[in-house]
Structures are given as C-alpha cells and as structure tokens.
C-alpha cells in the first residue's frame, strides 16, 4: 500500500500542470480515494494522440483513484451538428470499443473504469436547470474566453461554442468527481469551471493537465490533414509513410511530433511494461508482444532503445528521455533512426488493437455506421437523377435552357446542414479533454 | 358564424403589425381554427399595460382561435436570477390569479383559454435537445440582434440573454401553435423564430403584434420608477396621483401614456361592453359595473366620453379615437380633463379585480410569497449584528480600527446574487410578449 505522498506523486507525475493539488492531497491524507474523470467528445475519429491520456490513467489506477471515462455525446453533438445525433451515438460506440481495446492492449484493467455516456444525465431536468443557472451567471465574454483554445475563433461563432465550457463544468458536479483530467489545451475551460461552479454552490474541483503532443506536421494534429496524425487502424505501411513524412528536423526538438511521441507515449508505456515484468499487482497481461521498447541486451534502467545496425554504429540505449533529447539536439541521434524506432513502436502498439478490431464484428459494424464513406454517398447521390419536365415552349428541340435533369441533382438539405459544416470546422482536433 | 375574411379582420384589427398573415388566412379558408399563444414571463409585477394584450385576446376568441396563455417561468428564471426558482413559481401563480381575474372582470371566458406553465415542457429531454440544435445553428450575432429590444444592452451581457430568443422560438413548436401574439417590442424575436425554426425542420409561424403603450413618464414603462406605471392593485388614490403626475403635455399626442391608454385599452373594452349589451354570444357577464366608458346620454356610436362639468363646457362624446386625438392636438381637449376621465376608467377597471384579490386568500398568500417586502428583509438584516473580537493589541481602549460589530453586518450572498442584480436590470419592463 502506497503512502498518500507516493500516491500524489503517481497521480501528478509527467503532467504539465496541476491546479488544486492541495485538495487532492487532503483527500489522500484522509485515506480516501479521489474520484477523477476524463472526457472525450466523439466528434471525429480518434488518433494515436489518445495514447497520452489513456496511458496516464494507469497512474491514477495505481494510486487507487476512481476513474470515470465520459463519452460526451451531447458535447459532440453541440460541437458537430454535421453528425446528427444517431451518428454521434455510433461514434460514441466506436470510441468505447476503441478505448476499451487500447486499455486492454496495455493491460490497464477496464473493470476498474466506469464508462459514462453524457446523454444519460446531460438531458435531465436538473442538469438543464443548472445549465440555465450558469447562463444567468456567466458573461458572454467569459464563456468566449474559456473556449478560446478549444473552439476555433471564427468570424460568425455559433451559440454552442459559448455553452460548451459551462456544460463541461457541470459534468464535474454531475459525475461527482474531485478532479478532472485533460490536455493542457483545456486549461481555460478548467479555470472557468473553478471560477463558476462555486457560484452555483458546488465545489471547486482540481484539474490535472497533460502536455499536448504536436502533430506529425509540427503543429496541432489536424483532421483536415490526414497525414498529420495516425489513426488507430492505420496499416504498418501507412504508419511508416506518415512518420517518414513527419516534420522532424535534425537537431530541432521543438514542435517535433516524433520525439514527443516517444516521450509522452512510448517511454511511459515502456515503464508500464517494466512494472508488469516486475509483478505489478494492478496490470493485466495486455495484448501483443508486450516487450518494452528496449533491445534485449539493453542495460538495466533503459527507457528507450534506438536500434541501429552495427555498421551504422549500433543501437543506443537511453536511461532517460532527457538524454535522448540531448542526443537529438546535438545531432548524435539522427531523425531517420529516431523515426524508424518510433514507427516500430507505434506499429507494435497498434497491432493488438487492430487484431481486436478484426475479430469484433460489432466494432466493425459501428465503424461503418460512425464514419460512412463520403465517396460512397456521393456516388449514390449521382445516380439520383430527377427528370424536370421542360416548361411550355421548351423541350428537347427548344433553345438551350437552365440545367435540367442531365445535371446530377443533389437534394438540398435543410439550411442547418450548412451551419453544421461551418461548425465541423470548429471541431477541436485534439482529444476533447 | 363569421366568414374566414371576417375572422381574419377580427384577429388582426387594431394590431400594429402582422407577419405571415397569409398562413392565417389559409387556415381560416380551410375552415380550421388557428391556434395562438401569448406568453408572459413572470419576472416582476404585472402592470395595467397588460390590459392591451388581454383585451385583444377577446378578438381571437370571437374568431374561434384556440388561445394558449404561456406562463414562461423558465424564461423568467433565465431573465431574473434575483428570483430563485421557488420565487418565480410564486410569481407564476400570482400572474395566473391576476390574468384570470382580469379576463373574468372583462367577461372573457377563461374556460376557452388554456394556461400552460413553461417548466412543464421546457425542461424535457426533447426540448433541450432542440435547444442544443438551435445553439449549433444560431450565431452569437443573430441571437444578440434578436434580443436587442427585450434584453437591455449592457457592457457585460450574460449568456442567458442569448438563449432567450431561441427558447421563445421553440415554444411555438412545443405549444403546437400557428401563430404567436405579443407586443411589437418582440418583433426581432419573432423574425428570429421565423428564420430559425424552419432550420430545425419546423414550420414558420405567423406573428401578431400590438403596439406598445408608453409609460406614464413618457418612455417605456419602467420598474425602477414605480410612478411610471400603474399596478393592478393600486388604490384609486394612487391611480389618481400617478395619472396626475403623468407626462401629458397640452397638444402633444406623442409619448402620451394617458392618451394611448384610452386608445389601446379603454376604447377596445368599451367596444366589448357594447357588444355584450348587444347580446354577444361569447362574452360572459363580467364583474363590476360593466358600463361602457360613455355617459348615459351619449349618442349612438360614442367610443369614449370626456366628462366635464357644464360650467366648463360640458362632456364631449367621441365617435372615434381619431376625433379625440385631433381634439387633443388642437388643444380642444385639455390634459386635465383627459386625465380625469382616463383615471376614472382605470379605477372602474381595477375595482372588480381588486375585489377578487380581497376575497381570495390563496391569491393574497401568493402575492406575499411572490413579492416579499424588501423593507421587512432589510430590517431583519439590520438586527443581525455580528461580534468580531478585536485583534490582539486592539479592543475597546485601543486606537480606532476597521469597522467592527457596531456596523450592521449584511451576510454577503454568493457571487451569483450580484450577477442576478445585474440581470434584474435587464428585465423587460413591458409584458414579455
């Protein structure tokens, strides 16, 4: 059994920032288990950046934290009307399948996690009354400021972007947690929650933030550039191709998605694997080879091995990420070697997840429903030709007129679809929290 | 049985503006009864400006319109957090008592009206989902524009003001009406509803608007100036005093609350009373003397009598408001005489309503709960003195220090109260619709 201090260290290690750590300490000092939630809005398609928070959740479980995974379907709907509610429902199902597969593959016991679907409580009378209470308390200015990092600032912003921070604050109360965990891009939403929940008479919660892993193109991972991020179902070839293309300038450790992935995902998972080898009581067997990202002959304490053929100088075994980064900056570690090792690591992480996908008909079905092929739709629409009878005095032999049945007719959707398209552009490209 | 054209004339007479009249005509032409709602948010205390829409509702009933009276408690809450929800509930009850008393006093059959409390459907899952749908469709800009007349434009506006127009639009769908009736100050909210409901796949409704009666001080009736409006429970003395003080410049018919009240309330009610005398099938007996606002000896067709003693030229019987207004502008009708006749009319209208209040213990109880005496509260608070022990080295004989227990201590409320006070200032001073 760990001490309160050890647990606090576990809960907060590798995080970029902790707000309200004292309240977490106080709970631990009383011998209680803190309750935490991590939420994700199933708007788009999750990418491997999700490994960062999911791996961190192992630390929480090790420290006896009660962890809730919120599948924030109502938030997703608010954030992406492009997806009507039934599409969001399928996406939430897809996310749940995926998250469970990732946890299982890593050996993080899903029996210790509680999965909650937002719509199970976010449409209740009490929740909505509280939302209204917030709306007579929160100024437009504060709501806009809170969403500035997550909601893209466009010329004609929609009301939904202003509601988003308040709903996320209320989730803390309605999930009954002591703290919320998310990416540091959520910082303004978190401080908003700290400011406003007490105004409704609710407790101010602690906030734990992991740093953001840059996309492969250097900046934030972007949905509009599929090569900037790796999908959980990407083939090994696709992974190698994307990593090869990735921005990873020799000697430059800034905005380096490849180096950052090693730091934020591969090294922590390596640590999990070491712990399991040492007989960790919490972790399950995991799926796939479960070998640490370290060569067989590596010395004790190695956190990552860059494998190189002997003729190119042989492998390098790093005792810390700091050493590895220093080598990269000094150009002792070449981008090509880094990329090869990181790509190998990613492929090994994805393999057991893709195995689960291949064996789960239900998950495959949800994937099809959640992300219908846009090209398939277009083809179908093109077939729907509608015959418009020519107006009197016109017809086959009449003079050229306005486009008629020969032009593929796409039924115009209600105008709301255009607003939704607009909204889709505002969708955060990183995990929602 | 009236024809469709006659009904349309009845429905729209004396209104300042009608939007979507064609859809009303189409319903009437099909022989159906249009459905209409008039909503009021029980924020403050209703004033006699309410006679305007309530009298107009008699026209709707005469034209076989199904009328719903919405007591918009959730809107009131959104618009006035000063009043916690239980206070709003009492205010909704007070409003219902009052509105029924007014209708009954005028002989308008309340059995033909349906009273609906907003919270009975506005907190439902479906309604809230639709609210969210609206929020991903409506831009901040459009929501702000829609509320510009009703929500006071302050430096730090609250989110609630942006939600208000959308909720009012949804009410049209959820009440299943063909048209909404309200003051012309609602125009922007009405056009907002016409624009946005179809984007959710709902029908665009027609909108009927009565003109606004100016306050007694000339501008909009204002809560902060109690003398600018007359309460339904004001004594005859208070009525005479307020009317005496009212802005009513000789020859100036603009911003003239006294002249406008004659036009918008007394003359229409006069007409109702004439119709009842002629054996109208719809109207009930009414309460109070029910005499038209016309002297006994007045010629047939008189709509209003200005009573004057013989020595001052005797009474004048007007055949139309236009004649009366012309006389006022030409100074043939003196403000003092106008004020006396209007005050007499108001006192006669209020008398049977106040009689009902006096005989209804329940209504009296609701009035006390809905509008607790602010002075009573202050007195109580002043008694709550708290003793602060002096800091070390200070005390009775120490040097003068910061204010201590001698100063009345008012317990600071949660910060939300300040936001609410801010909001209270934004509360519309005219009937909500």
């Amino acid at each position: 059994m760990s001490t309160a201090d050890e647990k606090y260290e576990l809960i907060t290690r590798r995080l970029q920032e902790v707000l309200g750590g004292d309240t977490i300490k106080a709970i631990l000092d009383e011998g209680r288990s803190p309750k935490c939630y991590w939420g994700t809005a199933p708007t788009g398609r999750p990418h491997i950046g999700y490994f960062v928070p999911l791996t961190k959740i192992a630390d929480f479980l090790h420290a006896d934290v009660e962890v809730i995974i919120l599948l924030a379907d109502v938030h997703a709907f608010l954030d992406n009307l492009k997806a009507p509610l039934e599409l969001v429902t399928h996406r939430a199902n897809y996310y749940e399948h995926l998250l469970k597969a990732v946890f299982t593959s890593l050996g993080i016991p899903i029996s210790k996690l509680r999965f909650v679907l937002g719509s199970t409580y976010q449409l209740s009378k009490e929740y909505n009354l509280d939302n209204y209470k917030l709306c007579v308390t929160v100024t437009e200015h504060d709501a806009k400021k809170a969403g500035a990092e997550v909601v893209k600032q466009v010329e004609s912003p929609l009301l939904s972007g202003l509601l988003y921070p308040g709903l996320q604050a209320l989730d803390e109360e309605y999930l009954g947690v002591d703290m919320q965990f998310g990416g540091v891009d959520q910082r303004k939403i978190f401080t908003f929650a700290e400011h406003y929940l007490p105004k409704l008479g609710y407790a101010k919660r602690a906030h734990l933030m992991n740093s953001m892993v840059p996309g492969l193109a250097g900046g934030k991972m972007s949905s509009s550039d599929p090569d900037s991020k790796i999908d959980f179902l990407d083939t090994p070839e696709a992974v190698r191709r994307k990593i090869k293309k990735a921005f990873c300038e020799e000697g430059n450790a800034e905005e380096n998605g490849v180096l950052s992935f090693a730091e934020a995902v591969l090294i922590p998972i390596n640590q999990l694997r070491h712990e399991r080898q040492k007989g960790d009581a919490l972790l399950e067997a995991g799926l796939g080879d479960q070998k640490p990202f370290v060569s067989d002959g590596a010395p004790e304490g190695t956190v990552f091995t860059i494998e190189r053929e002997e003729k190119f100088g042989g492998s390098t075994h790093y005792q810390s990420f700091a050493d590895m980064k220093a080598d990269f900056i000094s150009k002792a570690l070449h981008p090509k070697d880094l990329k090869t090792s990181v790509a190998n690591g990613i492929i090994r992480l994805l393999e057991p997840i893709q195995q689960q996908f291949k064996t789960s008909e239900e998950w495959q079905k949800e994937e099809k429903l959640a992300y219908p092929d846009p090209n398939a739709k277009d083809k179908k629409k093109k077939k729907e030709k509608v015959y418009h009878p020519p107006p009197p005095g016109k017809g086959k032999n009449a003079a050229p007129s306005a486009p008629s049945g020969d032009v593929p007719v796409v039924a115009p959707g209600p105008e709301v679809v255009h607003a939704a398209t607009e909204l889709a552009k505002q969708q955060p490209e990183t995990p929602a929290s």
Side-chain angles (χ1 to χ4, degrees), chain A residues 33-182:
Chain A
S33 297
K35 215 166 158 182
C36 179
Y37 102 84
W38 172 80
T40 178
T43 46
R45 213 177 151 108
H47 50 74
I48 62 168
Y50 276 67
F51 269 119
V52 182
L54 302 189
T55 305
K56 178 64 200 166
I57 283 167
D59 284 344
F60 297 153
L61 293 178
H62 272 118
D64 296 327
V65 173
E66 292 179 38
V67 180
I68 293 172
I69 309 291
L70 173 67
L71 294 161
D73 55 348
V74 172
H75 287 72
F77 173 66
L78 267 183
D79 203 24
N80 190 3
L81 193 63
K82 188 183 175 186
L85 207 54
E86 70 267 30
L87 198 55
V88 167
T89 303
H90 291 304
R91 291 193 178 174
N93 292 341
Y94 177 85
Y95 270 59
E96 187 170 352
H97 276 290
L98 176 76
L99 297 179
K100 287 180 171 170
V102 173
F103 283 125
T104 309
S105 75
L106 297 175
I108 297 169
I110 56 173
S111 61
K112 301 252 177 201
L113 302 170
R114 189 152 72 86
F115 287 81
V116 175
L117 193 66
S119 56
T120 55
Y121 66 92
Q122 287 165 344
L123 297 170
S124 70
K125 183 178 165 175
E126 295 71 25
Y127 188 91
N128 281 299
L129 261 179
D130 272 340
N131 178 27
Y132 290 151
K133 278 187 199 172
L134 263 185
C135 289
V136 282
T137 312
V138 173
T139 60
E140 289 173 29
H141 171 266
D142 282 9
K144 193 179 283 286
K145 209 179 70 180
E149 295 279 324
V150 178
V151 178
K152 218 174 258 180
Q153 302 303 295
V154 293
E155 212 177 310
S156 288
L158 299 169
L159 283 193
S160 50
L162 296 178
L163 287 184
Y164 203 102
L167 298 184
Q168 194 165 332
L170 287 181
D171 288 338
E172 298 184 339
E173 173 66 21
Y174 279 76
L175 293 171
V177 298
D178 303 300
M179 55 203 193
Q180 186 180 171
F181 168 50

Side-chain angles (χ1 to χ4, degrees), chain A residues 257-291:
Chain A
V258 184
L259 195 59
S260 297
F261 194 82
E263 177 187 22
V265 177
L266 297 179
I267 292 177
I269 290 176
N270 193 64
Q271 192 167 4
L272 280 186
R273 293 181 172 190
H274 268 301
E275 282 161 7
R276 190 193 298 96
Q277 283 179 341
K278 287 184 200 156
D280 180 282
L282 174 82
L283 295 171
E284 294 172 347
L287 302 169
D289 64 26
Q290 295 294 324
K291 244 175 52 68

Side-chain angles (χ1 to χ4, degrees), chain A residues 147-293:
Chain A
E149 295 279 324
V150 178
V151 178
K152 218 174 258 180
Q153 302 303 295
V154 293
E155 212 177 310
S156 288
L158 299 169
L159 283 193
S160 50
L162 296 178
L163 287 184
Y164 203 102
L167 298 184
Q168 194 165 332
L170 287 181
D171 288 338
E172 298 184 339
E173 173 66 21
Y174 279 76
L175 293 171
V177 298
D178 303 300
M179 55 203 193
Q180 186 180 171
F181 168 50
V184 75
D185 60 338
Q186 304 283 312
R187 195 181 194 285
K188 285 179 180 166
I189 288 197
F190 287 171
T191 55
F192 173 95
E194 294 188 8
H195 183 71
Y196 278 107
L197 271 196
K199 290 180 193 281
L200 294 198
Y202 295 142
K204 172 176 156 178
R205 269 62 181 201
H207 291 99
L208 310 177
M209 287 164 268
N210 63 250
S211 52
M212 308 307 293
V213 176
L216 297 179
K220 248 185 162 185
M221 297 196 193
S222 159
S223 282
S224 51
D225 176 10
D227 280 0
S228 78
K229 56 177 192 171
I230 293 171
D231 192 275
F232 282 97
L233 302 183
D234 273 349
T235 61
E237 296 68 42
V239 172
R240 287 196 205 284
R241 183 177 52 78
K242 289 181 181 179
I243 292 286
K244 200 174 164 191
K245 250 188 83 176
F247 174 78
C248 181
E249 200 177 43
E250 192 174 11
N252 180 5
E254 299 304 311
E255 295 287 305
N256 188 325
V258 184
L259 195 59
S260 297
F261 194 82
E263 177 187 22
V265 177
L266 297 179
I267 292 177
I269 290 176
N270 193 64
Q271 192 167 4
L272 280 186
R273 293 181 172 190
H274 268 301
E275 282 161 7
R276 190 193 298 96
Q277 283 179 341
K278 287 184 200 156
D280 180 282
L282 174 82
L283 295 171
E284 294 172 347
L287 302 169
D289 64 26
Q290 295 294 324
K291 244 175 52 68
F293 301 108

